[in-house]
Amino acid sequence: MCPHCRAFITTADKVCPYCEAPIGPRAIELREDRPALGGLIQQAHFTTALILLINAGLYVATAVYAQQSGRGGGFMDLDSYTLFFFGAKLRSAILGGQWWRLITAGFLHGGLLHIGMNSWVLFDLGARVEESFGTARFLVIYFITGITGYLASMWWNPGLSVGASASLCGLIGAMIALGTKSNSLADRAQRAAYVQWAIYILVLGFLVPQVDNAAHIGGLAGGFCLGYVIGTPRVMGTAESFWKVMAAICVLLTAYAFYQAIIFMTKYGGQA
C-alpha cells in the first residue's frame, strides 16, 4: 500500500503509479543481513546458532558428568539425577524456591536423539522467526515461551522435564499468530504450514508417553499471544528500543538462572 495515497501497489514499484510519490524500502529490507564469523554463519542463523551451541555445550557437560558418576548411559541417554542436578524442571523443587529451573530446563536435553531432533527443528525455525520478528523479538519470544511452557508443565506434570521444545512450540505459535494478522495468500499458506507443525508435535506428544505435551501446549499458547501483540520490526523508534531492552533483560535473566544452578551444584557437590 502506498504510504501517501493508500493505493494498492506491488513490492516491485519504486514510484507509486497513482500519485507518483517515491516508495522507500520496507523496514525488513533495511535490516542488516551480513554473514557472521567471516561468512561461516548467515546473519539469519547467527542467534539461532548461539542457542544451539549453548544447548550442545550443556549436553556435553551433562553427558560427561553422567559418565563420570556412573549413573547414566553417557552420551546417548542421561539419567534423571544428572538432569535434576543441572537444572531440570521439577514441581517440588520450583515450589521450594528454585524458580530458575523454569529457565534452565529449556536448555537441557535427556538424550542424543532428543537434542538432535530439537536442534534440527530450531536451526530452520529459528532463522525464519528471526527474519520475521527481528533478533530482539525472537529472543523475547524464545525466552518467555520457555517459561510459559514449563509453567504449564509444572501445573500438569509434577515430574522431571527438560528440552527446548517448549520454546520451539512458542516460536511456532508466534508464526501462526503472525499469519492470522493478514488474509493474504502468502500469510494463509504460512499459517497453514505452522498449524500443521503444531498438530504434528501435539499428536506425537499424545502418542509418546515420555513427551511433555503440557510444556508444548504452554509454549504454543504463550507464543501465539506474544506473536499477536509483539509486532514486527521497524527501522527505528521507541518500540525497537523497548524490545532491545527486553531482549537484554531476557539474556541477563537466563545468565542469572544458570548462575543459580551453579550455586546449587556447588552447594550440594553432586550429593543432592
Side-chain angles (χ1 to χ4, degrees):
M1 183 177 289
C2 174
H4 302 280
C5 69
R6 315 304 292 173
F8 287 103
I9 58 177
T10 70
T11 56
D13 287 326
K14 304 300 181 184
V15 176
C16 177
Y18 301 98
C19 68
E20 298 184 350
I23 306 299
R26 296 173 297 165
I28 192 171
E29 293 170 344
L30 294 178
R31 279 186 272 153
E32 294 183 353
D33 190 26
R34 294 175 294 181
L37 299 181
L40 293 177
I41 302 175
Q42 291 298 317
Q43 186 65 34
H45 282 104
F46 183 68
T47 307
T48 299
L50 288 179
I51 296 174
L52 289 171
L53 286 173
I54 293 171
N55 290 349
L58 287 169
Y59 184 77
V60 170
T62 51
V64 169
Y65 177 84
Q67 269 191 330
Q68 291 179 346
S69 65
R71 299 176 187 272
F75 278 83
M76 293 303 297
D77 290 290
L78 302 179
D79 62 289
S80 298
Y81 176 87
T82 297
L83 294 174
F84 172 78
F85 189 58
F86 274 79
K89 180 232 87 184
L90 185 68
R91 180 196 289 175
S92 58
I94 293 171
L95 293 179
Q98 297 174 12
W99 59 267
W100 42 267
R101 292 181 180 274
L102 292 170
I103 300 173
T104 55
F107 294 87
L108 303 173
H109 292 84
L112 195 59
L113 180 61
H114 189 201
I115 190 173
M117 289 294 293
N118 281 349
S119 297
W120 172 55
V121 174
L122 177 58
F123 185 76
D124 178 64
L125 179 61
R128 294 175 183 268
V129 176
E130 188 173 357
E131 286 176 340
S132 299
F133 286 96
T135 301
R137 289 171 174 81
F138 165 72
L139 287 172
V140 171
I141 295 169
Y142 192 89
F143 175 84
I144 292 180
T145 57
I147 294 177
T148 61
Y150 281 107
L151 280 173
S153 174
M154 186 182 73
W155 181 263
W156 278 296
N157 173 22
L160 215 66
S161 183
V162 294
S165 54
S167 293
L168 294 180
C169 286
L171 298 181
I172 292 172
M175 293 301 284
I176 293 173
L178 187 62
T180 63
K181 299 180 76 171
S182 172
N183 203 33
S184 69
L185 183 62
D187 289 328
R188 289 201 302 270
Q190 171 182 284
R191 182 172 66 239
Y194 286 106
V195 166
Q196 285 184 335
W197 275 45
I199 292 173
Y200 292 152
I201 291 173
L202 294 179
V203 169
L204 179 65
F206 285 115
L207 294 177
V208 181
Q210 294 86 352
V211 175
D212 188 353
N213 230 10
H216 293 170
I217 294 171
L220 190 66
F224 182 86
C225 293
L226 274 175
Y228 201 83
V229 302
I230 206 170
T232 52
R234 301 292 184 266
V235 177
M236 58 187 300
T238 305
E240 299 313 301
S241 299
F242 171 79
W243 290 115
K244 287 178 181 179
V245 171
M246 289 297 296
I249 291 173
C250 290
V251 171
L252 290 174
L253 281 174
T254 301
Y256 184 70
F258 277 103
Y259 171 71
Q260 290 296 319
I262 292 171
I263 291 176
F264 173 80
M265 288 186 281
T266 303
K267 180 178 179 180
Y268 291 99
Q271 302 301 317

